RNA sequence: GCGCGCUUAGCUCAGCGGUAGAGCGGCUGCCUUACACGCAGUUGGUCGGAGGUUCAAAUCCUUCAGCGCGCACCA
C-alpha cells in the first residue's frame, strides 16, 4: 500500500486510471448480459465542436447516471458519437478554405471536390471533442462510437426517407420558406430565431390611379420590397378605404418603369388590421409569407426583387439593383423622398427572424422544397402529457405539448452539399424515390437533408436498425436522455416521433433537461464574448473531479446556472478534504474491506456517524429519483465535511492516539465501513479520486466502478449512544462559542470547567474528547460554580476560567444579552401556547414541541440569572 | 398578444404550511501531530409590493411590479 501524498494531485491520477479503465474495456456494453439493461445515448456533439462547459455539465450528468447504474448492477450502455452538423460544418470548412485562399466560393471546387475537402477536414479536426470527453472521465462505450454520416447510418436515413415518401408523409412543394442568404439554403422554422430590432416605420404615399391628388398612405418597415409589390390591400370593413377596392394604385418604385407597368390593384382582405399603421397594406407575394397567402387568394402575380444571396436584382430598378437588402432599404427611402412621397419615418421596434447559424435576417423566399408531415404525432403527444414518458423538470412537458399541438410540416431539404443527399431521382418528367440510383441516365436531387433528419433516428440507428440486433433488444428503449431544453423541438420531440414510427416504442423513458450556463453577469457563455472558460484549463487547475463536483453542486434542477470559477475551486478543495480524511485513516494502519462496526465496542461518536450515514443513504434515494443532482452533491459534501471530518475524525483522534483504548477497533471499523460506503456513493460524481482511494486503502480488491451501491438499512447503530454524542457535540459548540466571545483560540494551556447536570455525567474519556473538540488542554469536573464566564450546555454549566482577563461589567452584559435571546425565544412560544384556538387545532406533537422549546428557554434563563448574581455583588 | 419561470443574507442558491438555512464573501483569532485546498468564532434577511385563505404563510390563492425565457404572419 503506497502512502497517500499530503495533497491530492489529480494529474498523478486521472490519465493513469482512465487508460486502465479503457484498456480493460470497462465500458464495453454486453448485449448478451443477464443483468438488466440501462442505456443512454449521448446527444451527439458537432464533429467540428470543442468542449464547452455546457458539454461538461451535460456529460457529467450522463456519466453520473451511467456509473450509478453500473453500481446498481445494471448492464450499462452509454453510446457516444458525433453529428455531421450540416450547415455548421460546411460553413466552417468553406470559411477555412477561403481564408487559405484556396477558393473564393464553393462553386470553384465543385460538389465532389468540396466534399472531399470536408471529409479531409473532418478526419483531421473532427472528434476533438471526443478526446476531450475522455479527460472528463466519461464512461462511454467508445467501441460503439457512431457518426451520423457513417455509411450504415446514412443508409438508415435514406431508408426512412423512402419509407415516409411511400407513406406520402414526405412531399415536394413550391412554398414560402425561411431562406438564409448567407448559407443560401432553406431553413426550418425552428432554425429561425426571432429578435427584437430597432428600425424605422416608413410612411409613404401611393397615388390612386386615374385620380388627381388622391393618395393612400402606407406604413412599412421594408421599403426596399416596394418594387415587388403587386397589390395594395385594405380591410373591406374599413369605411375609409372600402370604396377604393377594385380601383388601382400606382406603385412608386422603380420610377423608371412606365406608369402602366406600375399599376397594381387595390384588393380587400380580412387579414388587414385596420388599427395598425394607416390600415393600408402593401402586398409583396414574393417576399412575405402573409403577403404570399394574400397573393394566392387574389391570384396576384409575384415579382422577386431579392436574389438568393440577399441582394436586389434588376426588377428592383436601376438604383437598387446590386445593393445589399439593408443598403437598399435606405436607398429606397431616399428614392421615395426624392419623389416627394415619403411622409415620415418613425422609430419602430419589431421582431425579425434571424438565421440561427449565420445570425443574419432570414428572407422569406418562394422555392421548391421537400416537406415532412410528422408521423406518429398523436401518440408522441399523449405519451408525454400522460407522463408515461417523463420530463424533468416537468414544466418542459407543457412547452413540448404546445409545440406538438401546433405542428407545422417540416422543411427538410437544404441547398447544401455536406449531408445526406435526398434519395430522389429524376429522368425527364419521371421521379423515383429509392436509395440506389435507378440507372446512369437518372439524375439525383441535388439537395441534402436537414441534419436533424438524421439525428432524430439516433437512439435506434446507432444500434443497428433496421436489423433486429441484440443491442436493440437489450437497450431499446433507452432509459434516460440528458439534454438542453433548447433542442426540445429540434431533437427530443422528433426522436419521440421517429421512435414510435420505426420502433413502435418511445425512445427513452425519462428526459432530463439541464439548465443553461451563464456567466456571473447572467450572460450566455459564448466565444465571441470571451466569457467561456476552456474546460480543459479548468481540469488542469482543479482536476476533472473538482470540476465535475463543483459544477454539479451549483446546477439546480431546471434553472440556469450562474457560473463562478470559485465553485470549481471548492470542488477541488472538497476532493482534497476527502483525500486527507482517507490519508488520516491510512496513517492508523491497514483498512479492513469487510469491516463491520457492529462487532466492536464503539464510542457514541461512531454510532452518531452511522446514524448520519443511514440518513444520508435514505435522503439520496428520492433525490436520485427526482434527478436533483445539486442536492445530492450538497448532501454528500455536508456528510463528508461536517459529519465525517469535523465530528467523527476529531473525536476519533482520542482512540487513535491511545493504542489501549477499548473502542479503538470499533472506531477503525466504523471509519472503514463508512469510507467504503461513502466512496461508492461519491463515485458517480468523482470517479477518479474515489477509485484511487478505494484501491490504495484496499477497501476493494478490484475497481470501485463495479463494486455495488450501498443498500439502505444495512447500517445499524444505537440511538441512545448517537444521542449522547449529540450531547457532547452540542456541549463543545457551546464552549467554543463562549471561548470565541472572548476572542480566544484554543490552546493547550486553556482549561474549561464543568458543573455537571445531565443524568449520565461525562466519563473521563468523554472529557478528554470534549477537550479535543474544544481544542483546549482539558475539561475538569467541579462541583461549585466558579466566578467565571459560563454557558449552559447539555452536559451542564461550562465555565471558562480567565484569570485576570475577566471584566465583571462586560461579563454581566454578555449574560444579559444571552438572557434576552432566550427570553425572545420563550416569548414567541408562549404567545403560540397562549392562543386557545392554536392549542385546539394544531397537531399535539407540534404543541409538545413548542412546550419543550419554551421549557428549555425558561430553564436556560434561570441558569443564566443564577450566574449573573455572581457578578452583581 | 399568449404561455412558462424567477424575485429569500453583500454574492450564488436551498427551504415550498409549523422556532428564517447553506456555501462563498466580509470581520476576528489560530501554521492544534489528515488537510492553510485547513480550523474555530462572528457579522448579515420585516423571505419583491399589496390583498386574501388558515389556529399558523417565505411556503397556498388573487393581484401588481421588475427580470429572464419560449411561442406568435400585425405590415
Amino acid at each position: 500500500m503506497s502512502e497517500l501524498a499530503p495533497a491530492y494531485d489529480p494529474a498523478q491520477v486521472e490519465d493513469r486510471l482512465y487508460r486502465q479503465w479503457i484498456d480493460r474495456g470497462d465500458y464495453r456494453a454486453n448485449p448478451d448480459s443477464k443483468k438488466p439493461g440501462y442505456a443512454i445515448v449521448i446527444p451527439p456533439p458537432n464533429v467540428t465542436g470543442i468542449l464547452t462547459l455546457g458539454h461538461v455539465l451535460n456529460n457529467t450528468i450522463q456519466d453520473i447516471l451511467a456509473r450509478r447504474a453500473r453500481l446498481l448492477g445494471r448492464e450499462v450502455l452509454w453510446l457516444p458519437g458525433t453529428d455531421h452538423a450540416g450547415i455548421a460544418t460546411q460553413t466552417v470548412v468553406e470559411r477555412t478554405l477561403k481564408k487559405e485562399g484556396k477558393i473564393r466560393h464553393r462553386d470553384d471546387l465543385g460538389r465532389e471536390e468540396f466534399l472531399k475537402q470536408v471529409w479531409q477536414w473532418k478526419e483531421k479536426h473532427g472528434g476533438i471533442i471526443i478526446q476531450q470527453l475522455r479527460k472528463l472521465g466519461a464512461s462511454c462505450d467508445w467501441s460503439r462510437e457512431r457518426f451520423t454520416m457513417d455509411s450504415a447510418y446514412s443508409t438508415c436515413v435514406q431508408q426512412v426517407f423512402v419509407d415516409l415518401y411511400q407513406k406520402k408523409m414526405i412531399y415536394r412543394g413550391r412554398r414560402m420558406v425561411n431562406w438564409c442568404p448567407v448559407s443560401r439554403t432553406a431553413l426550418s422554422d425552428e432554425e429561425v430565431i426571432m429578435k427584437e430590432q430597432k428600425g424605422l416605420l416608413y410612411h409613404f404615399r401611393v397615388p390612386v390611379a386615374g385620380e388627381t391628388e388622391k393618395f393612400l398612405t402606407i406604413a412599412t418597415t421594408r421599403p426596399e420590397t416596394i418594387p415587388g409589390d403587386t397589390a395594395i390591400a385594405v380591410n373591406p370593413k374599413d369605411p375609409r378605404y372600402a370604396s377604393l377596392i377594385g380601383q388601382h394604385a400606382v406603385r412608386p418604385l422603380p420610377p423608371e418603369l412606365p406608369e402602366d407597368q406600375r399599376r397594381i390593384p387595390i384588393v380587400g382582405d380580412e387579414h388587414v388590421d385596420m388599427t395598425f399603421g394607416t390600415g393600408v397594406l402593401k402586398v409583396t407575394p414574393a417576399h412575405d409569407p402573409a403577403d404570399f397567402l394574400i397573393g394566392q387568394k387574389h391570384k396576384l402575380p409575384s415579382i422577386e426583387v431579392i436574389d438568393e444571396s440577399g441582394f436586389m436584382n434588376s426588377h428592383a430598378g436601376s438604383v437598387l439593383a446590386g445593393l445589399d437588402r439593408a443598403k437598399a432599404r435606405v436607398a429606397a427611402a431616399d428614392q421615395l423622398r426624392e419623389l416627394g412621397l415619403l411622409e415620415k419615418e418613425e422609430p419602430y421596434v419589431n421582431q425579425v427572424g434571424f438565421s440561427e447559424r449565420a445570425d443574419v435576417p432570414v428572407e422569406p423566399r418562394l422555392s421548391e422544397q421537400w416537406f415532412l408531415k410528422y408521423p406518429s404525432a398523436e401518440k408522441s403527444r399523449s405519451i408525454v402529457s400522460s407522463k408515461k414518458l417523463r420530463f424533468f423538470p416537468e414544466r418542459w412537458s407543457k412547452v413540448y405539448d404546445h409545440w406538438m399541438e401546433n405542428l407545422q410540416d417540416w422543411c427538410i431539404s437544404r441547398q447544401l452539399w455536406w449531408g445526406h443527399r435526398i434519395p430522389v431521382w429524376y429522368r425527364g418528367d419521371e421521379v423515383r424515390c429509392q436509395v440506389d440510383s435507378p440507372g446512369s441516365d437518372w439524375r439525383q436531387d441535388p439537395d441534402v437533408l436537414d441534419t436533424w433528419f438524421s439525428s432524430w433516428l439516433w437512439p435506434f440507428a446507432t444500434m443497428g436498425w433496421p436489423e433486429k440486433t441484440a443491442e436493440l433488444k437489450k437497450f431499446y428503449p433507452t432509459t434516460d436522455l440528458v439534454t438542453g431544453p433548447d433542442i426540445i423541438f429540434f431533437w427530443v420531440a422528433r426522436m419521440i416521433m421517429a421512435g414510435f414510427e420505426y420502433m413502435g416504442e418511445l425512445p427513452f423513458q425519462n428526459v432530463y433537461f439541464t439548465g443553461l450556463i451563464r456567466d456571473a453577469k447572467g450572460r450566455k457563455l459564448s466565444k465571441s464574448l470571451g466569457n467561456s472558460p476552456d474546460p480543459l484549463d479548468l481540469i488542469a487547475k482543479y482536476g476533472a473531479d473538482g470540476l465535475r463536483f463543483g459544477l454539479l453542486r451549483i446546477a439546480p434542477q431546471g434553472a440556469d446556472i450562474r457560473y463562478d470559477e470559485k465553485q470549481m475551486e471548492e470542488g477541488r478543495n472538497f476532493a482534497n478534504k476527502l483525500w486527507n480524511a482517507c490519508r488520516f485513516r491510512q496513517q492508523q494502519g491497514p483498512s479492513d474491506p469487510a469491516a463491520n462496526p457492529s462487532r466492536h465496542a464503539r464510542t457514541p461518536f461512531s454510532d452518531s456517524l452511522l446514524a448520519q450515514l443511514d440518513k444520508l443513504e435514505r435522503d439520496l434515494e428520492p433525490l436520485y429519483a427526482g434527478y436533483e443532482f445539486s442536492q445530492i452533491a450538497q448532501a454528500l459534501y455536508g456528510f463528508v465535511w461536517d459529519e465525517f471530518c469535523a465530528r467523527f475524525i476529531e473525536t476519533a483522534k482520542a482512540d487513535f492516539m491511545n493504542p489501549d483504548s477499548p473502542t479503538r477497533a470499533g472506531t477503525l471499523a466504523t471509519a472503514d465501513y463508512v469510507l467504503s460506503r461513502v466512496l461508492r456513493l461519491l463515485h458517480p460524481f468523482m470517479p477518479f479520486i474515489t477509485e484511487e482511494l478505494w484501491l490504495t486503502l484496499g477497501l476493494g480488491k478490484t475497481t470501485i466502478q463495479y463494486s455495488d451501491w450501498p443498500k439502505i438499512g444495512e447500517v445499524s447503530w444505537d440511538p441512545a449512544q448517537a444521542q449522547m454524542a449529540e450531547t457532547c457535540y452540542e456541549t463543545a459548540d457551546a464552549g467554543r462559542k463562549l471561548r470565541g466571545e472572548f476572542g480566544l483560540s484554543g490552546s493547550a494551556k486553556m482549561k474549561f470547567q464543568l458543573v455537571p447536570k445531565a443524568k449520565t455525567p461525562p466519563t473521563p474519556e468523554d472529557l478528554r474528547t470534549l477537550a479535543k473538540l474544544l481544542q483546549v488542554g482539558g475539561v475538569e469536573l467541579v462541583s461549585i460554580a466558579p466566578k467565571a464566564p459560563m454557558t449552559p450546555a447539555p452536559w451542564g454549566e461550562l465555565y471558562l476560567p480567565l484569570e485576570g482577563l475577566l471584566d465583571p461589567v462586560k461579563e454581566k452584559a454578555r449574560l444579559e444579552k444571552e438572557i434576552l435571546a432566550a427570553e425572545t425565544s420563550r416569548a414567541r412560544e408562549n404567545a403560540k401556547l397562549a392562543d386557545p384556538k392554536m392549542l385546539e387545532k394544531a397537531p399535539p406533537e407540534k404543541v409538545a414541541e413548542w412546550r419543550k422549546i419554551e421549557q428549555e428557554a425558561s430553564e436556560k434563563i434561570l441558569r443564566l440569572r443564577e450566574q449573573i448574581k455572581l457578578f452583581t455583588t
Side-chain angles (χ1 to χ4, degrees):
Chain A
M1 182 167 66
S2 62
E3 204 170 296
L4 295 173
Y8 175 54
D9 180 7
Q12 301 288 315
V13 174
E14 293 178 354
D15 288 346
R16 187 186 80 230
L17 288 179
Y18 200 79
R19 209 172 309 120
Q20 254 179 42
W21 295 337
I22 294 300
D23 289 349
R24 205 162 52 201
D26 280 351
Y27 310 133
R28 293 258 173 91
N30 175 11
D32 302 321
S33 162
K34 294 251 173 11
K35 299 188 219 169
Y38 175 94
I40 300 183
V41 289
I42 208 168
N46 295 355
V47 252
T48 61
I50 53 158
L51 198 69
T52 64
L53 267 185
H55 291 118
V56 172
L57 174 67
N58 188 266
N59 287 286
T60 298
I61 290 173
Q62 293 176 67
D63 198 40
I64 288 168
L65 292 169
R67 287 182 181 277
R68 177 159 181 267
R70 275 186 209 103
L71 286 169
L72 285 167
R74 313 277 287 274
E75 183 64 28
V76 172
L77 167 62
W78 181 12
L79 201 156
T82 49
D83 190 295
H84 67 280
I87 299 182
T89 307
Q90 176 159 330
T91 310
V92 171
V93 176
E94 234 176 303
R95 198 185 302 141
T96 312
L97 290 173
K98 277 183 201 162
K99 215 181 265 173
E100 290 170 354
K102 286 186 183 155
I103 55 164
R104 272 180 305 176
H105 188 266
R106 67 187 192 233
D107 292 340
D108 295 352
L109 283 177
R111 185 168 192 142
E112 236 165 87
E113 191 50 38
F114 181 78
L115 282 177
K116 213 183 270 177
Q117 293 283 337
V118 183
W119 275 107
Q120 270 178 21
W121 199 88
K122 185 250 168 190
E123 294 311 325
K124 209 169 150 192
H125 305 283
I128 292 174
I129 195 161
I130 294 296
Q131 291 312 313
Q132 294 179 316
L133 281 174
R134 295 174 199 234
K135 297 287 283 185
L136 237 201
S139 60
C140 300
D141 182 352
W142 299 110
S143 70
R144 293 172 190 274
E145 187 182 332
R146 297 286 186 269
F147 176 50
T148 50
M149 295 260 282
D150 286 342
S151 72
Y153 199 106
S154 298
T155 308
C156 289
V157 174
Q158 297 192 317
Q159 281 182 355
V160 164
F161 185 99
V162 172
D163 177 71
L164 290 167
Y165 180 87
Q166 282 164 359
K167 288 175 180 162
K168 305 221 184 308
M169 307 293 281
I170 285 181
Y171 62 92
R172 197 168 185 226
R174 195 171 163 76
R175 290 243 217 123
M176 189 59 86
V177 293
N178 307 297
W179 184 267
C180 174
V182 169
S183 312
R184 295 195 305 177
T185 177
L187 301 173
S188 65
D189 297 342
E190 287 68 35
E191 287 163 290
V192 176
I193 296 172
M194 300 308 279
K195 287 195 193 178
E196 204 165 77
Q197 290 295 299
K198 282 186 193 128
L200 294 169
L201 189 62
Y202 302 86
H203 292 248
F204 70 101
R205 289 191 294 176
V206 183
V208 177
E211 311 232 7
T212 45
E213 294 305 304
K214 191 159 187 190
F215 294 95
L216 283 174
T217 301
I218 301 177
T220 181
T221 54
R222 303 202 63 187
E224 74 277 16
T225 63
I226 292 174
D229 291 351
T230 55
I232 303 290
V234 294
N235 195 304
K237 287 184 192 143
D238 194 328
R240 293 172 293 177
Y241 310 118
S243 64
L244 294 172
I245 296 172
Q247 297 194 39
H248 286 75
V250 180
R251 192 182 69 212
L253 302 179
E256 68 263 30
L257 274 189
E259 192 180 311
D260 62 317
Q261 288 183 38
R262 288 188 275 122
R263 184 183 280 249
I264 53 176
I266 299 170
V267 301
D269 197 291
E270 303 280 346
H271 169 81
V272 180
D273 182 348
M274 290 185 276
T275 62
F276 184 86
T278 59
V280 185
L281 178 70
K282 68 192 262 309
V283 182
T284 326
H287 295 291
D288 185 278
D291 293 4
F292 174 70
L293 294 176
I294 296 176
Q296 279 194 321
K297 213 190 292 178
H298 300 276
K299 302 201 167 53
L300 299 173
S302 180
I303 307 171
E304 197 171 289
V305 294
I306 304 172
D307 72 12
E308 57 169 25
S309 302
F311 288 86
M312 309 308 292
N313 65 19
S314 58
H315 291 128
S318 56
V319 174
L320 301 183
L323 290 179
D324 171 84
R325 41 191 179 141
K327 290 205 177 92
R329 179 169 304 173
V330 180
D334 288 344
Q335 279 186 294
L336 292 171
R337 193 177 296 115
E338 281 160 26
L339 291 166
L341 294 172
L342 188 66
E343 254 176 26
K344 59 173 174 177
E345 306 160 85
E346 54 187 19
Y348 187 66
V349 175
N350 67 340
Q351 301 287 325
V352 177
F354 274 67
S355 155
E356 188 198 23
R357 286 287 160 199
D359 199 32
V360 293
V362 294
E363 197 55 58
R365 188 160 191 266
L366 194 58
S367 60
E368 191 87 21
Q369 302 289 346
W370 289 95
F371 296 91
L372 168 69
K373 261 196 255 300
Y374 286 102
S376 299
E378 274 311 307
K379 249 191 213 168
S380 301
R381 190 179 166 200
S382 61
I383 195 85
V384 174
S385 55
S386 67
K387 294 185 188 172
K388 282 190 194 101
L389 195 171
R390 298 185 64 193
F391 281 11
F392 294 87
E394 218 246 311
R395 64 189 164 85
W396 291 113
S397 58
K398 230 178 208 175
V399 176
Y400 171 86
D401 196 66
H402 183 246
W403 189 75
M404 291 297 287
E405 192 184 353
N406 299 290
L407 271 187
Q408 302 290 317
D409 291 356
W410 175 12
C411 175
I412 52 174
S413 45
R414 296 288 177 275
Q415 288 65 53
L416 301 171
W417 289 344
W418 176 242
H420 303 276
R421 193 136 171 205
I422 290 178
V424 172
W425 310 80
Y426 308 97
R427 186 174 68 183
D429 290 342
E430 290 175 87
V431 178
R432 276 205 207 159
C433 179
Q434 60 186 67
V435 174
D436 299 312
S437 169
S440 58
D441 50 343
W442 289 76
R443 186 180 51 83
Q444 187 172 9
D445 194 298
D447 290 352
V448 299
L449 289 161
D450 181 1
T451 301
W452 298 104
F453 192 87
S454 59
S455 347
W456 77 324
L457 313 175
W458 189 250
F460 52 88
T462 50
M463 293 192 207
W465 184 88
E467 303 302 321
K468 291 197 164 96
T469 60
E471 283 79 2
L472 282 171
K473 190 158 181 267
K474 182 80 189 174
F475 297 115
Y476 193 96
T478 65
T479 316
D480 295 317
L481 178 78
V482 179
T483 189
D486 49 332
I487 53 174
I488 188 165
F489 312 136
F490 281 115
W491 197 47
V492 179
R494 289 165 178 167
M495 274 194 290
I496 296 172
M497 292 187 269
F500 272 116
E501 189 68 9
Y502 291 102
M503 295 298 296
E505 226 181 327
L506 40 81
F508 26 72
Q509 291 155 28
N510 309 291
V511 184
Y512 176 83
F513 291 105
T514 63
L516 224 66
I517 301 183
R518 298 171 175 279
D519 71 4
K521 291 176 190 150
R523 301 172 305 181
K524 280 185 194 175
L525 297 184
S526 78
K527 263 182 257 168
S528 53
L529 278 175
N531 60 351
S532 188
D534 181 351
L536 292 196
D537 291 345
L538 296 174
I539 288 174
K541 270 169 97 171
Y542 306 113
D545 290 330
L547 173 61
R548 291 166 61 119
F549 196 86
L551 191 60
L552 262 288
R553 205 152 74 95
I554 54 163
Q557 198 203 45
D560 287 354
I561 297 147
R562 287 288 168 111
Y563 172 75
D564 181 359
E565 191 168 325
K566 194 89 198 151
Q567 296 296 327
M568 309 311 115
E569 197 180 318
E570 278 194 55
R572 178 202 58 184
N573 294 354
F574 178 62
N576 192 246
K577 188 75 180 176
L578 178 69
W579 180 266
N580 272 287
C582 290
R583 188 163 84 98
F584 188 58
R585 169 63 192 86
Q586 191 190 37
Q587 288 167 356
Q588 313 310 319
S591 292
D592 174 10
N596 183 349
S598 62
R599 292 214 206 98
H600 302 271
R602 300 179 306 270
T603 63
F605 309 110
S606 291
D607 286 83
S608 168
L609 181 69
L610 293 170
Q612 290 301 136
L613 175 68
D614 184 61
K615 180 177 182 307
L616 171 72
E617 291 178 0
R618 287 175 199 280
D619 288 349
L620 253 31
E621 286 308 308
L623 292 177
Y624 265 112
Y627 298 80
E628 309 249 24
F629 300 104
S630 67
Q631 297 210 49
I632 295 167
Q634 195 55 46
L636 290 166
Y637 183 95
F639 179 82
V640 169
W641 208 295
D642 302 334
E643 297 303 331
F644 193 85
C645 295
R647 292 184 146 188
F648 176 74
I649 287 188
E650 288 311 317
T651 51
K653 281 175 180 171
D655 268 346
F656 291 165
M657 287 193 271
N658 176 8
D660 302 323
S661 164
T663 51
R664 191 168 195 273
T667 299
L668 288 170
T670 303
D672 289 345
Y673 181 81
V674 173
L675 277 178
S676 162
R677 292 176 87 96
V678 156
L679 287 177
R680 281 176 279 159
L681 296 175
L682 272 168
H683 178 256
F685 284 74
M686 312 182 100
F688 294 110
I689 191 174
T690 48
E691 172 84 325
E692 181 71 1
L693 291 170
W694 176 263
L695 295 172
T696 311
L697 291 184
L699 290 169
K701 285 198 187 75
T702 57
T703 179
I704 192 172
Q705 304 171 102
Y706 283 94
S707 57
D708 61 347
W709 189 255
K711 282 184 199 63
I712 288 178
E714 284 183 339
V715 188
S716 64
W717 74 95
D718 179 344
Q721 289 280 94
Q723 185 54 49
M724 190 175 310
E726 207 57 38
T727 302
C728 180
Y729 292 137
E730 279 170 25
T731 302
D733 285 345
R736 279 200 292 235
K737 191 170 175 234
L738 182 65
R739 199 190 62 201
E741 270 160 12
F742 289 89
L744 298 168
S745 275
S747 80
K749 274 184 266 172
M750 191 183 286
K751 279 201 163 90
F752 274 92
Q753 293 180 330
L754 183 73
V755 179
K757 193 195 122 251
K759 280 171 207 146
T760 40
T763 63
E765 191 61 38
D766 291 337
L767 290 177
R768 260 197 294 282
T769 301
L770 186 58
K772 184 79 208 158
L773 286 172
L774 287 165
Q775 297 167 327
V776 294
V779 180
E780 50 190 29
L781 288 182
V782 291
S783 48
I784 299 162
K787 190 168 177 179
M790 175 279 265
T791 183
W795 253 336
E797 270 96 358
L798 198 57
Y799 294 85
L800 180 59
L802 292 166
E803 280 144 49
L805 281 174
L806 186 62
D807 177 341
V809 181
K810 279 190 185 161
E811 179 56 11
K812 205 180 147 191
R814 189 188 69 82
L815 289 166
E816 266 159 3
K817 209 174 129 202
E818 282 225 33
I819 290 172
L820 195 69
E823 276 174 343
T824 308
S825 164
R826 184 175 64 173
R828 190 176 37 229
E829 299 312 313
N830 267 336
K832 270 195 254 176
L833 294 165
D835 184 345
K837 273 197 212 155
M838 179 100 74
L839 287 179
E840 186 191 325
K841 298 209 175 179
E845 62 271 21
K846 283 290 162 202
V847 177
E849 216 173 277
W850 299 330
R851 283 232 160 83
K852 198 176 158 219
I853 296 166
E854 193 270 343
Q855 241 164 39
E856 278 171 5
S858 300
E859 212 172 295
K860 194 172 176 185
I861 292 165
L862 277 180
R863 287 158 77 182
L864 288 164
R865 289 238 165 89
E866 206 55 42
Q867 177 69 8
I868 221 165
K869 282 184 197 155
L870 290 180
F871 296 94
T872 37
T873 46

